[in-house]
Amino acid sequence: MRVVYILKKSALTFLMGVIAVILISPLVITFTNSLMTELEIEINYGLIGQMNEATPGRDDSFANLKLIPDKVSLAQYGKVFIDNPKYLSMFWNSVFMVVPIIAGQTLVAALAAYAFSKLKFRGRDPMFLVYVMTMLMPFQVTLVPNYIMVDKLGMLNTTGAIIYPGIFAAFGVFMLRQFMLDIPYAYIEAAKMDGAGHLRIFMTMIVPMIKPGLAALVILLFVDYWNMVEQPLVFLDDPFKQPLSVFLSSIHDSERGIAFAASFLYMAPMVMLFLYVESYFIEGIQLSGVKG
């Protein structure tokens, strides 16, 4: 029996290792290809989508996915940072949009989740149900009403058209409420007996208990809004106000080297943020799965 258990464990470990390699390979390939020279990138990817005219019916399109460059070069990064200042401009556009959304939605979601989970008032549960229903609607359904509202408020073609709807999205409230429901109400009653108000209870008791949930929420929000494309295209007419995600989708096929370098730099903030809060994120996802 022990031999069978060891074999099953080894097989599972091997399978998980293979899956991990498959999932991380795009990131590795993007980074290593960003260090190649423009000539090497052209040799490896130049025939993609081309058909050999001399032999009809034969497709010679290919991609030579190399992990190790023949010659390490930082020329592609030089083109991104120096020759193409539009990249840095759009990078900071993304930062100035995403950071306020994450900070604002985390604060609003935590306070609203506390109210929906620990405060008792009439109509609490029906109100929460209606609030969460907005989360179930796809972006395309609410696109026209949001556009009309933004236009009436005079925020069209401004970053506020992206930031304010993101701050008051329902996902964070729903997620953090799941964490707070598991906190015994007796803790709050004991704190009230000691003279603590709701603000003090929230800051000194609730927030430390939901740190894993906050970390998981920050990661999920960052990935979601860092990759947004539809909202900027609809609400922002000025191309100089567009985020980096829109810039990457407009890179031409002839700029494959720049695409690799820009894509890796685009992924780097998400990877670093995940590594920084990895333990909290994993714990938060596990707890949300148990409580959900």
Side-chain angles (χ1 to χ4, degrees), residues 96-98 100-101 158-168 225 228:
F96 293 143
M97 292 179 192
V98 174
I101 290 175
T158 66
T159 55
I162 308 294
I163 294 174
Y164 292 121
I167 289 177
F168 297 99
Y225 288 101
M228 61 181 172

Side-chain angles (χ1 to χ4, degrees), residues 247-266:
F247 170 74
L248 291 180
S249 63
S250 64
I251 295 179
H252 196 265
D253 289 342
S254 61
E255 301 174 314
R256 292 188 181 94
I258 295 179
F260 279 118
S263 297
F264 179 76
L265 293 173
Y266 178 75

Side-chain angles (χ1 to χ4, degrees), residues 75-193:
Q76 308 303 339
Y77 291 96
K79 290 182 179 180
V80 170
F81 284 113
I82 300 175
D83 298 340
N84 196 344
K86 186 179 180 181
Y87 174 88
L88 288 179
S89 175
M90 287 192 164
F91 176 85
W92 288 113
N93 288 345
S94 294
V95 171
F96 293 143
M97 292 179 192
V98 174
V99 171
I101 290 175
I102 294 176
Q105 186 175 154
T106 302
L107 177 61
V108 171
L111 293 171
Y114 177 75
F116 282 126
S117 62
K118 299 306 178 185
L119 300 185
K120 298 178 181 179
F121 54 90
R122 181 177 298 179
R124 183 189 67 174
D125 293 338
M127 185 184 302
F128 177 73
L129 179 61
V130 173
Y131 191 73
V132 172
M133 285 178 62
T134 62
M135 182 182 68
L136 304 178
M137 297 181 183
F139 172 75
Q140 292 78 7
V141 173
T142 59
L143 178 60
V144 174
N146 285 342
Y147 185 90
I148 295 175
M149 183 178 298
V150 168
D151 187 25
K152 294 295 183 180
L153 293 175
M155 294 190 301
L156 202 61
N157 200 32
T158 66
T159 55
I162 308 294
I163 294 174
Y164 292 121
I167 289 177
F168 297 99
F171 172 74
V173 179
F174 172 78
M175 182 174 179
L176 294 182
R177 178 178 176 270
Q178 299 303 108
F179 283 85
M180 295 185 188
L181 286 175
D182 198 56
I183 300 176
Y185 192 78
Y187 291 172
I188 298 178
E189 291 181 341
K192 287 182 177 179
M193 293 179 61

